[in-house]
Amino acid sequence: MRGCNLIDRVRLLRRWGRLEDRGGNCRVYLVITDPGVAEFWGFALDLVVFDRGGTIVRRLAAEVAPLRPAKTSVKVFDISETACGATGSILVNDVIHCRDKSGDPAECVDRLSTSSKLAVSLLK
């Protein structure tokens, strides 16, 4: 695996901080903790949004970089034309790209752990 050592294997922890309706969109506050020493200059997520019945309603890409080591950050993005109350879960379908000092390490999706304290689940 290119660029992977024990430091690179550290998990990025992601969870919902807050969801709020904003003019027909759902504003997402994503809390990201990078407990390791690797800094990411690029990190884009492929997200799939499901309604409460389990039907896919939207797919989007969210760039959440930069991610600094040993730091918790909040990234904010909107899910267009989607009410927060109608959202049942969001799947991290894949990592589109991630970039650290070694370049583009392999299997970035394996570095993620997800959780949610809200009614909307964050899945991997």
Side-chain angles (χ1 to χ4, degrees):
M1 229 186 292
R2 185 174 154 224
C4 280
N5 59 35
L6 286 178
I7 292 171
D8 292 330
R9 296 295 244 157
V10 81
R11 299 186 83 64
L12 296 170
L13 309 171
R14 299 170 186 278
R15 68 177 172 84
W16 296 133
R18 178 176 172 178
L19 300 175
E20 66 182 17
D21 287 307
R22 286 286 184 134
N25 301 325
C26 181
R27 177 150 297 167
V28 175
Y29 295 79
L30 183 62
V31 179
I32 304 169
T33 302
D34 181 354
V37 296
E39 181 171 2
F40 290 92
W41 294 283
F43 212 102
L45 302 174
D46 173 16
L47 303 174
V48 179
V49 182
F50 295 86
D51 66 15
R52 296 205 176 273
T55 301
I56 295 172
V57 294
R58 184 96 42 240
R59 185 173 180 197
L60 66 137
E63 176 63 60
V64 297
L67 300 174
R68 297 190 338 230
K71 173 87 173 84
T72 298
S73 305
V74 175
K75 305 298 179 175
V76 181
F77 59 92
D78 289 342
I79 303 172
S80 63
E81 302 173 12
T82 303
C84 295
T87 303
S89 63
I90 300 178
L91 171 69
V92 178
N93 192 49
D94 204 354
V95 174
I96 299 167
H97 70 85
C98 65
R99 178 168 296 242
D100 65 10
K101 68 181 177 184
S102 68
D104 295 321
E107 301 177 21
C108 286
V109 74
D110 294 335
R111 300 166 187 251
L112 302 178
S113 293
T114 61
S115 68
S116 178
K117 294 182 178 181
L118 304 177
V120 175
S121 299
L122 178 61
L123 310 169
K124 180 180 103 166

